[in-house]
Amino acid sequence: MPELEVEGAGAFDVDEDRRLVLAIEEDAGVDIMHQCGSHAHCATCRVEFLDGEPEDMTEAEHALLEMRELLGEARLSCQILCEHDMKVRVLMTVT
């Protein structure tokens, strides 16, 4: 079971292969902004990896981050599965 650490919220065990955006929102209780339903259209679910950044990136994530000039600065949590331990900083919240 992977451990997800969210800056300011703590560390949580999360189900393997859970979408990172849902783990942040439901397991860590952080009000991460997300609007497009995991389709990589809005880029509001941005996170910064502090540790454990996945090497792979979906084509949709890469294209949207490149278009918004965020490639190398942020990742889209809706496109990432919790497959190993990670530590993230949420960049956009509802509040």
Side-chain angles (χ1 to χ4, degrees), residues 25-45:
E25 181 179 55
E26 296 171 2
D27 297 321
V30 175
D31 62 345
I32 186 170
M33 185 172 286
H34 62 102
Q35 299 174 347
C36 72
S38 299
H39 297 288
H41 290 197
C42 67
T44 58
C45 66

Side-chain angles (χ1 to χ4, degrees):
M1 184 170 274
E3 181 180 81
L4 171 63
E5 185 174 343
V6 180
E7 185 179 67
F12 308 87
D13 289 330
V14 296
D15 291 335
E16 190 167 347
D17 293 333
R18 184 169 176 78
R19 289 209 180 263
L20 180 56
V21 67
L22 296 177
I24 291 170
E25 181 179 55
E26 296 171 2
D27 297 321
V30 175
D31 62 345
I32 186 170
M33 185 172 286
H34 62 102
Q35 299 174 347
C36 72
S38 299
H39 297 288
H41 290 197
C42 67
T44 58
C45 66
R46 286 179 251 170
V47 296
E48 176 185 346
F49 274 87
L50 305 175
D51 193 30
E53 181 172 355
E55 293 180 17
D56 296 335
M57 184 179 291
T58 65
E59 288 181 28
E61 179 184 17
H62 187 274
L64 186 60
L65 290 175
E66 188 172 53
M67 180 179 71
R68 302 239 178 152
E69 299 181 1
L70 294 168
L71 197 58
E73 295 178 27
R75 295 289 305 267
L76 301 182
S77 62
C78 73
Q79 295 297 296
I80 298 168
L81 298 178
C82 296
E83 298 175 322
H84 60 273
D85 294 352
M86 304 175 193
K87 182 176 182 180
V88 298
R89 174 182 295 138
V90 174
L91 299 178
M92 299 181 74
T93 59
V94 175
T95 53

